[in-house]
PDB file of all heavy atoms in Angstrom:
ATOM      1  N   ALA A1479      -7.624  19.448  -6.901  1.00  0.00           N
ATOM      2  CA  ALA A1479      -8.566  20.342  -6.210  1.00  0.00           C
ATOM      3  C   ALA A1479      -9.161  21.360  -7.179  1.00  0.00           C
ATOM      4  O   ALA A1479     -10.369  21.613  -7.171  1.00  0.00           O
ATOM      5  CB  ALA A1479      -7.864  21.057  -5.051  1.00  0.00           C
ATOM      6  N   TYR A1480      -8.329  21.929  -8.043  1.00  0.00           N
ATOM      7  CA  TYR A1480      -8.826  22.890  -9.038  1.00  0.00           C
ATOM      8  C   TYR A1480      -9.811  22.207  -9.985  1.00  0.00           C
ATOM      9  O   TYR A1480     -10.858  22.741 -10.305  1.00  0.00           O
ATOM     10  CB  TYR A1480      -7.664  23.465  -9.853  1.00  0.00           C
ATOM     11  CG  TYR A1480      -7.000  24.667  -9.252  1.00  0.00           C
ATOM     12  CD1 TYR A1480      -6.584  24.688  -7.922  1.00  0.00           C
ATOM     13  CD2 TYR A1480      -6.764  25.791 -10.022  1.00  0.00           C
ATOM     14  CE1 TYR A1480      -5.960  25.797  -7.387  1.00  0.00           C
ATOM     15  CE2 TYR A1480      -6.142  26.907  -9.493  1.00  0.00           C
ATOM     16  CZ  TYR A1480      -5.739  26.902  -8.177  1.00  0.00           C
ATOM     17  OH  TYR A1480      -5.132  28.002  -7.662  1.00  0.00           O
ATOM     18  N   TYR A1481      -9.427  21.008 -10.452  1.00  0.00           N
ATOM     19  CA  TYR A1481     -10.291  20.271 -11.372  1.00  0.00           C
ATOM     20  C   TYR A1481     -11.638  19.960 -10.729  1.00  0.00           C
ATOM     21  O   TYR A1481     -12.691  20.152 -11.331  1.00  0.00           O
ATOM     22  CB  TYR A1481      -9.594  18.980 -11.823  1.00  0.00           C
ATOM     23  CG  TYR A1481     -10.506  18.038 -12.567  1.00  0.00           C
ATOM     24  CD1 TYR A1481     -10.992  18.374 -13.835  1.00  0.00           C
ATOM     25  CD2 TYR A1481     -10.901  16.829 -12.009  1.00  0.00           C
ATOM     26  CE1 TYR A1481     -11.836  17.519 -14.513  1.00  0.00           C
ATOM     27  CE2 TYR A1481     -11.739  15.973 -12.692  1.00  0.00           C
ATOM     28  CZ  TYR A1481     -12.208  16.320 -13.946  1.00  0.00           C
ATOM     29  OH  TYR A1481     -13.048  15.482 -14.610  1.00  0.00           O
ATOM     30  N   THR A1482     -11.598  19.488  -9.488  1.00  0.00           N
ATOM     31  CA  THR A1482     -12.838  19.169  -8.779  1.00  0.00           C
ATOM     32  C   THR A1482     -13.709  20.411  -8.637  1.00  0.00           C
ATOM     33  O   THR A1482     -14.927  20.348  -8.814  1.00  0.00           O
ATOM     34  CB  THR A1482     -12.520  18.567  -7.395  1.00  0.00           C
ATOM     35  OG1 THR A1482     -11.761  17.369  -7.600  1.00  0.00           O
ATOM     36  CG2 THR A1482     -13.784  18.241  -6.623  1.00  0.00           C
ATOM     37  N   ALA A1483     -13.074  21.543  -8.359  1.00  0.00           N
ATOM     38  CA  ALA A1483     -13.831  22.792  -8.205  1.00  0.00           C
ATOM     39  C   ALA A1483     -14.538  23.175  -9.501  1.00  0.00           C
ATOM     40  O   ALA A1483     -15.733  23.484  -9.487  1.00  0.00           O
ATOM     41  CB  ALA A1483     -12.905  23.913  -7.748  1.00  0.00           C
ATOM     42  N   VAL A1484     -13.829  23.144 -10.634  1.00  0.00           N
ATOM     43  CA  VAL A1484     -14.487  23.540 -11.890  1.00  0.00           C
ATOM     44  C   VAL A1484     -15.493  22.500 -12.351  1.00  0.00           C
ATOM     45  O   VAL A1484     -16.540  22.848 -12.880  1.00  0.00           O
ATOM     46  CB  VAL A1484     -13.483  23.867 -13.027  1.00  0.00           C
ATOM     47  CG1 VAL A1484     -12.616  25.058 -12.669  1.00  0.00           C
ATOM     48  CG2 VAL A1484     -12.637  22.672 -13.420  1.00  0.00           C
ATOM     49  N   ARG A1485     -15.187  21.233 -12.120  1.00  0.00           N
ATOM     50  CA  ARG A1485     -16.120  20.173 -12.513  1.00  0.00           C
ATOM     51  C   ARG A1485     -17.421  20.266 -11.714  1.00  0.00           C
ATOM     52  O   ARG A1485     -18.512  20.162 -12.261  1.00  0.00           O
ATOM     53  CB  ARG A1485     -15.464  18.808 -12.313  1.00  0.00           C
ATOM     54  CG  ARG A1485     -16.341  17.644 -12.786  1.00  0.00           C
ATOM     55  CD  ARG A1485     -15.853  16.316 -12.265  1.00  0.00           C
ATOM     56  NE  ARG A1485     -15.997  16.302 -10.816  1.00  0.00           N
ATOM     57  CZ  ARG A1485     -15.234  15.580  -9.999  1.00  0.00           C
ATOM     58  NH1 ARG A1485     -14.274  14.821 -10.479  1.00  0.00           N
ATOM     59  NH2 ARG A1485     -15.428  15.611  -8.705  1.00  0.00           N
ATOM     60  N   ASP A1486     -17.292  20.481 -10.410  1.00  0.00           N
ATOM     61  CA  ASP A1486     -18.465  20.465  -9.545  1.00  0.00           C
ATOM     62  C   ASP A1486     -19.178  21.811  -9.435  1.00  0.00           C
ATOM     63  O   ASP A1486     -20.356  21.852  -9.112  1.00  0.00           O
ATOM     64  CB  ASP A1486     -18.077  19.997  -8.133  1.00  0.00           C
ATOM     65  CG  ASP A1486     -17.611  18.548  -8.107  1.00  0.00           C
ATOM     66  OD1 ASP A1486     -17.767  17.842  -9.141  1.00  0.00           O
ATOM     67  OD2 ASP A1486     -17.076  18.130  -7.070  1.00  0.00           O
ATOM     68  N   HIS A1487     -18.468  22.909  -9.690  1.00  0.00           N
ATOM     69  CA  HIS A1487     -19.061  24.224  -9.464  1.00  0.00           C
ATOM     70  C   HIS A1487     -18.933  25.170 -10.665  1.00  0.00           C
ATOM     71  O   HIS A1487     -19.240  26.350 -10.539  1.00  0.00           O
ATOM     72  CB  HIS A1487     -18.409  24.892  -8.246  1.00  0.00           C
ATOM     73  CG  HIS A1487     -18.531  24.080  -7.001  1.00  0.00           C
ATOM     74  ND1 HIS A1487     -19.705  23.950  -6.315  1.00  0.00           N
ATOM     75  CD2 HIS A1487     -17.607  23.323  -6.337  1.00  0.00           C
ATOM     76  CE1 HIS A1487     -19.516  23.164  -5.257  1.00  0.00           C
ATOM     77  NE2 HIS A1487     -18.258  22.765  -5.261  1.00  0.00           N
ATOM     78  N   GLY A1488     -18.483  24.664 -11.810  1.00  0.00           N
ATOM     79  CA  GLY A1488     -18.257  25.524 -12.960  1.00  0.00           C
ATOM     80  C   GLY A1488     -19.386  25.580 -13.969  1.00  0.00           C
ATOM     81  O   GLY A1488     -19.276  26.273 -14.979  1.00  0.00           O
ATOM     82  N   ALA A1489     -20.484  24.875 -13.716  1.00  0.00           N
ATOM     83  CA  ALA A1489     -21.561  24.795 -14.709  1.00  0.00           C
ATOM     84  C   ALA A1489     -22.143  26.165 -15.044  1.00  0.00           C
ATOM     85  O   ALA A1489     -22.399  26.470 -16.209  1.00  0.00           O
ATOM     86  CB  ALA A1489     -22.667  23.853 -14.231  1.00  0.00           C
ATOM     87  N   ASP A1490     -22.334  27.013 -14.034  1.00  0.00           N
ATOM     88  CA  ASP A1490     -22.906  28.335 -14.287  1.00  0.00           C
ATOM     89  C   ASP A1490     -21.951  29.190 -15.113  1.00  0.00           C
ATOM     90  O   ASP A1490     -22.362  29.852 -16.064  1.00  0.00           O
ATOM     91  CB  ASP A1490     -23.255  29.019 -12.965  1.00  0.00           C
ATOM     92  CG  ASP A1490     -24.068  30.286 -13.183  1.00  0.00           C
ATOM     93  OD1 ASP A1490     -25.065  30.222 -13.937  1.00  0.00           O
ATOM     94  OD2 ASP A1490     -23.701  31.326 -12.608  1.00  0.00           O
ATOM     95  N   ALA A1491     -20.665  29.152 -14.750  1.00  0.00           N
ATOM     96  CA  ALA A1491     -19.657  29.906 -15.511  1.00  0.00           C
ATOM     97  C   ALA A1491     -19.610  29.401 -16.950  1.00  0.00           C
ATOM     98  O   ALA A1491     -19.529  30.192 -17.893  1.00  0.00           O
ATOM     99  CB  ALA A1491     -18.286  29.766 -14.858  1.00  0.00           C
ATOM    100  N   TYR A1492     -19.679  28.079 -17.121  1.00  0.00           N
ATOM    101  CA  TYR A1492     -19.658  27.495 -18.467  1.00  0.00           C
ATOM    102  C   TYR A1492     -20.872  27.950 -19.279  1.00  0.00           C
ATOM    103  O   TYR A1492     -20.738  28.397 -20.417  1.00  0.00           O
ATOM    104  CB  TYR A1492     -19.611  25.963 -18.380  1.00  0.00           C
ATOM    105  CG  TYR A1492     -19.806  25.307 -19.719  1.00  0.00           C
ATOM    106  CD1 TYR A1492     -18.768  25.260 -20.638  1.00  0.00           C
ATOM    107  CD2 TYR A1492     -21.045  24.774 -20.079  1.00  0.00           C
ATOM    108  CE1 TYR A1492     -18.957  24.676 -21.892  1.00  0.00           C
ATOM    109  CE2 TYR A1492     -21.235  24.193 -21.316  1.00  0.00           C
ATOM    110  CZ  TYR A1492     -20.186  24.149 -22.217  1.00  0.00           C
ATOM    111  OH  TYR A1492     -20.374  23.593 -23.452  1.00  0.00           O
TER     112      TYR A1492
END
Side-chain angles (χ1 to χ4, degrees):
Y1480 273 50
Y1481 169 68
T1482 300
V1484 297
R1485 184 195 66 208
D1486 294 350
H1487 302 286
D1490 190 49
Y1492 171 77

